[in-house]
Structure formats: structure tokens, C-alpha cells
Amino acid sequence: MRLPIYQVDAFADRLFAGNPAAVVPLETWLPEATMTAIAVENNLAETAFFVPQADGFGLRWFTPEIEVPLCGHATLASAFVLMTKLEPARTHARFHTKSGALEVTRNGELYALDFPSRGLEAAADPDAVAQALGGAPVAVSFSTDRYMALYETPAEVRALKPDMKKLLATKYGRAIATAPGEEGCDFVSRFFAPSAGIDEDPVTGSSHCTLVPYWAKRLGKTKLVARQVSKRGGTLFCEDAGPRTIMSGRGQLYLEGSIYV
């Protein structure tokens, strides 16, 4: 069987930036073992698979280790493929996922993702998380399936060299590091997820479901520009919409080909 495959740099203003995701459009679902094997072979942070449904598309995301319940950059990449390669006249799509229905709207080069917001609560093991990340976070909280460590400056976040074994030994094994912004953005972040088989994710949409409500409240504004300061880097144009978080970014097509399974 021959399957199409695309690789898209998501949340990227140029090629070789943002977060690369593979996208495999399907007519019907493949066996889960096959989708996992394809994700392992691709060796990217995420491989997305989508199938047509009556009122949209079913969408699933796989890392080389696990299937994840929510992924921003691979959703943007899927919408990019759908709206530029498969149905160029389309400007809106609804994806049905393990995190509910996710809407994506295209406005020129920007793809706006409508995602569920996530709140914060006290972390049970803040000292262990701080030791794993390094530096001197001023606070460590917890959100759904990951920690969030707050630092005072963007320079501190950029300088982090986490101990992945120590982070993996924490309850959730994944953490956001964030700080107030600098010129051109309202806040910065990085994301480390060894428990998902990803030491550092270049640009992480799902983390902004936590970051945007937090920084919107702290800064007293609903529209924010975010910068993920990984080596590749990426920019997200965000809006706090109460129970929903809107994040927009661009996509860049890197690769188009076929898989033989």
C-alpha cells in the first residue's frame, strides 16, 4: 500500500525553523501498530494521521514512543496540508481528537488553532522539578500532564540544560520553562518531555494552552505574542478566549513523498 506523506515546519516563518511534523492523510485508519511504526521510522516529535468524517476529520498524533492526547504543531501541519495540498479552496476544518473537537481557520498565511485552555495548580514535587530543570525558578506549578516552572528572565530559560534522567524520574516527566518576554514578544518558553521520548520539543502548541491563560492574567491583556526559544525557535500569535486558547502561526512545506507499507 502506498500512502502520501508530507513534512511541514509548523509555527515557522521560514524553512528549518519551528517544529517539524509529518502528516499522513488516510482514507481509513491504519492499525495502531502500523501508525506507531511509521512514527518511529519518521523519528520526528510528532506524526499526524487524519481521516475524513461526516463533519470534519478524525486526527491522531504519535511520537516515536506514545500516542498523545493533544498536539498543536502537528494540528497546524495537518491543516496546512489539507488547505494547501489537498483542498486549496478550504479555509476552515474541524478535527475530532482525544481532546475534543479542534477548529482550525486559515487567514492568509496564518493558521488559527482553537484549543481548550488548561489551568494551573500546585505541584506536589516542586524541588525535584527545579533540580531537574536547573537554574532558580521562582515557582513550579502543575497543569494537566506537565509542570510549569517560572523564571525571572528569558536569559535564564535559554541557558537551561536540564538533567533528563532527573526530569524523567518526576511524576510526569515533562516540564515547561517560561519567563516574561523581551523585545517583540510577551513571554518566552521551552518544553522538555523525556517521558514522551522528546528531550526538547522545538515549538509546543499544547503548552500554550497553559501559558496563554497564565500570562494573559498576569499581564492584563488577552492578545499576546509568544516565542519558544528552542534552538529552532518559533512564534505564536495567541489570544486568551476564556475556556479556549487561540494560537496562530505559519507553516512551511519541507517534504512531500510516499510511504510503502
Side-chain angles (χ1 to χ4, degrees), residues 17-38:
N19 201 349
V23 179
V24 183
L26 302 170
E27 293 300 320
T28 59
W29 291 118
L30 298 170
E32 188 168 308
T34 302
M35 291 189 286
T36 299
I38 291 171

Side-chain angles (χ1 to χ4, degrees), residues 187 208 212 222-226 236-240 245-248:
F187 65 89
H208 287 76
V212 172
T222 57
K223 293 186 177 181
L224 307 100
V225 178
L236 302 87
F237 304 94
C238 306
E239 181 178 356
D240 176 29
T245 292
I246 313 300
M247 58 192 107
S248 300

Side-chain angles (χ1 to χ4, degrees), residues 26-31 35 49-51 53 57-60 96:
L26 302 170
E27 293 300 320
T28 59
W29 291 118
L30 298 170
M35 291 189 286
F49 301 86
F50 66 81
V51 300
Q53 292 185 358
F57 301 84
L59 177 61
R60 297 172 70 179
H96 297 280

Side-chain angles (χ1 to χ4, degrees), residues 1-234:
M1 179 168 45
R2 179 176 175 177
L3 302 172
I5 183 170
Y6 304 85
Q7 187 170 320
V8 177
D9 290 340
F11 297 115
D13 296 328
R14 57 178 177 80
L15 203 58
F16 309 122
N19 201 349
V23 179
V24 183
L26 302 170
E27 293 300 320
T28 59
W29 291 118
L30 298 170
E32 188 168 308
T34 302
M35 291 189 286
T36 299
I38 291 171
V40 172
E41 190 77 9
N42 289 338
N43 198 31
L44 295 170
E46 305 286 348
T47 297
F49 301 86
F50 66 81
V51 300
Q53 292 185 358
D55 61 342
F57 301 84
L59 177 61
R60 297 172 70 179
W61 312 277
F62 290 78
T63 78
E65 298 285 339
I66 60 172
E67 182 177 3
V68 297
L70 186 65
C71 180
H73 83 280
T75 301
L76 190 156
S78 297
F80 177 93
V81 169
L82 178 63
M83 297 180 197
T84 62
K85 303 300 293 186
L86 305 182
E87 300 180 28
R90 179 187 285 272
T91 58
H92 177 268
R94 172 178 291 177
F95 293 104
H96 297 280
T97 77
K98 291 188 174 183
S99 293
L102 306 176
E103 309 276 346
V104 183
T105 302
R106 180 183 179 184
N107 183 10
E109 293 184 348
L110 288 176
Y111 294 79
L113 283 60
D114 183 335
F115 272 38
S117 297
R118 291 175 165 181
L120 284 166
E121 55 189 84
D125 47 354
D127 292 342
V129 177
Q131 290 175 11
L133 289 176
V138 296
V140 177
S141 305
F142 166 73
S143 177
T144 308
D145 63 353
R146 64 200 64 189
Y147 302 98
M148 190 187 85
L150 175 66
Y151 292 82
E152 290 186 346
T153 68
E156 290 177 87
V157 172
R158 284 193 172 90
L160 293 176
K161 296 179 180 179
D163 185 321
M164 296 302 169
K165 289 184 178 179
K166 287 184 178 180
L167 184 55
L168 192 58
T170 62
K171 184 175 181 180
Y172 297 99
R174 60 191 77 179
I176 307 164
T178 188
E182 52 199 356
E183 185 177 355
C185 71
D186 293 291
F187 65 89
V188 303
S189 70
R190 293 172 70 187
F191 181 57
F192 310 99
S195 63
I198 306 162
D199 282 355
E200 180 170 7
D201 196 39
V203 188
T204 315
S206 60
S207 287
H208 287 76
C209 295
T210 299
L211 289 163
V212 172
Y214 171 80
W215 284 108
K217 182 178 180 180
R218 176 164 169 164
L219 298 175
K221 57 195 299 189
T222 57
K223 293 186 177 181
L224 307 100
V225 178
R227 181 73 180 168
Q228 195 150 332
V229 290
S230 62
K231 184 176 181 180
R232 290 175 64 97

